[in-house]
Amino acid sequence: MIKEISSKESFERIISSSLIVLILGHGTIYTLFPNLLFNFAMLLLIALFLFFHLLNKNLYFEFLMVVYFISHFDFIPTYGGLNTLIAALSLILNSVLNRNKKFDHHSSSLLVIFLVSILFIMNVSGWILKNPSEPLYVVVNVMSFLGYITVFIVAAKVGFTSVRIANFLKITTILAVYNVLVSLVTKFGLFETQFTPVLPTFQFQFGDNIMMGTFYHSEIYGEYGMVVFLMLLPFIGNKKRENISNATISVGLIASAINCLLSFSRSAIVLLVLGAIVYFVFYYLKVKSSRSYLRYGPILVFGLLVISLLWVPLRLGFIVERFIYEDLAAPISFEGEKNLITGEGTPRELAFSYFLNRLPQEDWQIGYGWGVPNSNKIAWFGDPNTKRADFHSLYLSLPMLYGWSGSIAFILLIIVLIIKLLRRMRSINMFLNYKELIIPSLLLMFVFLMINEYKISLLRISTYHMMFWIWLGLGYATLINSDSKN
């Protein structure tokens, strides 16, 4: 393992680099600077900055955290996203110019390599054989997909030590709090702006009720709040503080719960509660002591107090109304026949009908390959002007992009990680260090992410999609690092 920089220096480098990228990133927005050459020059400048400031010094974890940070902001989605393009460009520069590349480890599962290879091959096949994009968009399609895959590979090779896990949790907490602030600014109409993706306060649904944070889609915003909450939950019970205070973890938990509530996504809120219950049952079975729950008491009481104080001003009772009134959301019924595949009898019946209409139109042994939003909408609907984002389900959206075999490979990358994390759970102490606690943390979030993805798709926007690949890569890195000494 290469030598780590100090926790403080790492954190400061991540924050300062992220802010610089966000500022420079505005130069890539065509509506602000209507010159494609200038936009590309700014992309290249950002990539060079990240290469010389981080990658050339083998600071791969810090680079990943910068990509993770900016993946909360939806820059240039028409061209695949700022986060994907600069990730691909930076890592290409690194592969060509860095003569002293050093990763923390190089071991990789042959199964994971095989699955990623299938995904890559199916993408290339789709780009060549099916995708009708114009030359410029073909290049962008390729670069954005390379951004995801190369970031995943780098993340899986990072030494995910306790110090780095603590910085990861700090960054996650900061961004969860920031999303709450964006939603509150929007909800109370403090000001509106369409100038910058860093503060997308003009986005809302159902008047001033359903918020979206920085994600532009309330259900993705809700899922984000749910998975971050479940990710942070195991750390609040740790006796040993490792470069992060209990107060910071508590703030992150409360902020992520508020994000989930402000999205008013029924499934995300239910799964958040269910995930917490599952964890506490597991926690009791692991430690076999009811007294151990006492360390969760203060945060539980404080969290409930905060939510009760915010209930009226934030009109959180609207979530109850969404369960009751059919004009506010697709109705939920426990009567009659239901089909989870077709969506018949479920709130997703209309959304899934687009998939059922599209499925027999082509042979999906090969999909269209990953692409920019218009390219993906051609794959999903046959028409980029269709007034829908996707099929409202990850599992239904995959075949049109990756074909059947690529879709299976994509899902297996997640399932294999979940199985390996489950096996690793048998040997962890639960109180030793963050390298152990990250295992139930990631396991919990991925299990409930997979459940919620039945009715929403992480493929919808490049920002959240990149966050998923980083989480997935760090999950595989966790498996390797948990075998080594802290």
Side-chain angles (χ1 to χ4, degrees):
M1 181 178 291
I2 62 175
K3 184 179 179 180
E4 289 183 59
I5 59 177
S6 70
S7 174
K8 181 180 179 181
E9 182 184 352
S10 174
F11 181 76
E12 291 176 350
R13 195 177 284 256
I14 292 166
I15 295 296
S16 60
S17 299
S18 299
L19 295 178
I20 290 171
V21 171
L22 289 177
I23 292 170
L24 294 177
H26 288 82
T28 66
I29 302 176
Y30 185 81
T31 53
L32 295 180
F33 301 93
N35 185 306
L36 285 177
L37 286 176
F38 178 80
N39 301 149
F40 177 74
M42 292 303 295
L43 269 177
L44 188 57
L45 176 62
I46 295 171
L48 287 167
F49 165 71
L50 291 176
F51 168 69
F52 285 109
H53 190 55
L54 300 174
L55 292 176
N56 198 42
K57 300 174 182 177
N58 291 319
L59 298 177
Y60 291 102
F61 172 75
E62 287 70 24
F63 169 77
L64 286 172
M65 289 300 97
V66 172
V67 175
Y68 181 65
F69 195 107
I70 66 172
S71 289
H72 286 71
F73 307 99
D74 200 17
F75 282 77
I76 56 173
T78 304
Y79 295 99
L82 175 67
N83 55 342
T84 64
L85 297 180
I86 64 169
L89 284 171
S90 300
L91 290 170
I92 288 172
L93 287 171
N94 186 61
S95 66
V96 174
L97 300 178
N98 189 352
R99 302 298 182 184
N100 191 34
K101 292 187 286 292
K102 292 181 180 178
F103 292 97
D104 292 307
H105 55 76
H106 295 273
S107 58
S108 299
S109 164
L110 292 178
L111 177 58
V112 172
I113 293 172
F114 175 70
L115 294 175
V116 171
S117 298
I118 290 177
L119 196 58
F120 181 79
I121 290 169
M122 296 311 299
N123 265 274
V124 173
S125 301
W127 293 328
I128 295 173
L129 300 176
K130 274 192 174 183
N131 201 298
S133 298
E134 298 175 359
L136 172 62
Y137 287 103
V138 170
V139 173
V140 174
N141 291 347
V142 173
M143 291 297 290
S144 60
F145 180 75
L146 286 178
Y148 296 126
I149 295 301
T150 53
V151 160
F152 166 72
I153 292 170
V154 170
K157 293 182 177 182
V158 159
F160 208 23
T161 62
S162 292
V163 169
R164 287 174 173 173
I165 292 170
N167 277 343
F168 170 66
L169 297 178
K170 288 178 189 176
I171 299 297
T172 298
T173 295
I174 289 170
L175 291 164
V177 171
Y178 184 80
N179 265 276
V180 171
L181 294 177
V182 169
S183 289
L184 293 182
V185 168
T186 303
K187 189 172 187 65
F188 294 113
L190 300 182
F191 62 87
E192 294 183 8
T193 175
Q194 298 187 35
F195 173 77
T196 173
V198 175
L199 196 62
T201 57
F202 61 95
Q203 291 287 338
F204 55 85
Q205 295 177 342
F206 291 105
D208 63 351
N209 288 320
I210 296 181
M211 297 293 105
M212 306 186 202
T214 61
F215 291 92
Y216 294 83
H217 297 272
S218 60
E219 288 178 308
I220 289 179
Y221 176 45
E223 182 175 275
Y224 163 78
M226 181 263 291
V227 297
V228 169
F229 179 90
L230 296 179
M231 180 198 304
L232 294 172
L233 184 60
F235 293 93
I236 200 70
N238 190 35
K239 295 177 181 179
K240 182 181 177 183
R241 300 269 64 85
E242 304 192 42
N243 298 295
I244 183 171
S245 68
N246 197 48
T248 301
I249 299 293
S250 300
V251 168
L253 279 169
I254 294 172
S256 56
I258 292 174
N259 282 323
C260 191
L261 289 170
L262 287 175
S263 76
F264 293 96
S265 170
R266 295 174 295 181
S267 64
I269 293 170
V270 169
L271 289 175
L272 183 150
V273 174
L274 181 60
I277 292 172
V278 168
Y279 175 72
F280 284 125
V281 170
F282 160 78
Y283 184 77
Y284 176 77
L285 294 175
K286 192 71 178 178
V287 302
K288 295 180 174 60
S289 170
S290 57
R291 292 185 62 186
S292 61
Y293 281 116
L294 294 176
R295 62 174 59 93
Y296 285 94
I299 178 59
L300 180 62
V301 172
F302 183 70
L304 290 174
L305 177 62
V306 170
I307 290 174
S308 64
L309 291 174
L310 296 177
W311 189 268
V312 173
L314 297 185
R315 205 191 164 200
L316 297 180
F318 184 65
I319 184 61
V320 180
E321 297 175 25
R322 293 201 77 216
F323 278 97
I324 298 173
Y325 302 114
E326 295 186 7
D327 60 328
L328 296 179
I332 297 175
S333 173
F334 296 98
E335 300 177 355
E337 295 185 1
K338 293 176 176 53
N339 189 316
L340 295 179
I341 304 298
T342 66
E344 183 179 355
T346 75
R348 285 292 172 264
E349 186 169 355
L350 175 60
F352 287 10
S353 69
Y354 285 85
F355 166 78
L356 295 173
N357 179 62
R358 181 67 170 138
L359 184 63
Q361 293 178 5
E362 297 186 33
D363 177 2
W364 299 108
Q365 296 302 318
I366 296 176
Y368 280 68
W370 174 261
V372 298
N374 272 3
S375 172
N376 291 342
K377 289 184 77 171
I378 291 173
W380 289 325
F381 306 108
D383 180 4
N385 297 314
T386 303
K387 301 300 181 182
R388 294 193 73 87
D390 51 37
F391 298 136
H392 254 290
S393 171
L394 169 67
Y395 309 109
L396 301 186
S397 300
L398 284 169
M400 285 70 187
L401 298 180
Y402 303 135
W404 293 117
S405 56
S407 301
I408 293 170
F410 186 101
I411 297 300
L412 282 178
L413 279 170
I414 310 171
I415 293 176
V416 167
L417 175 62
I418 289 174
I419 292 173
K420 287 179 177 290
L421 289 171
L422 272 170
R423 289 175 178 172
R424 196 59 55 84
M425 286 287 292
R426 298 173 184 173
S427 61
I428 67 171
N429 184 288
M430 287 296 292
F431 293 108
L432 186 58
N433 56 54
Y434 278 13
K435 286 171 64 178
E436 290 188 344
L437 285 170
I438 195 65
I439 294 174
S441 167
L442 292 174
L443 176 61
L444 199 63
M445 63 162 283
F446 273 114
V447 167
F448 284 89
L449 172 73
M450 290 285 281
I451 295 172
N452 199 56
E453 284 294 307
Y454 165 75
K455 44 79 64 186
I456 192 61
S457 175
L458 59 84
L459 304 175
R460 181 175 294 184
I461 54 175
S462 66
T463 51
Y464 190 59
H465 193 186
M466 177 62 85
M467 291 164 62
F468 159 78
W469 281 108
I470 293 173
W471 290 332
L472 192 68
L474 292 176
Y476 279 104
T478 295
L479 294 171
I480 296 172
N481 287 291
S482 63
D483 287 331
S484 62
K485 294 181 178 181
N486 183 33

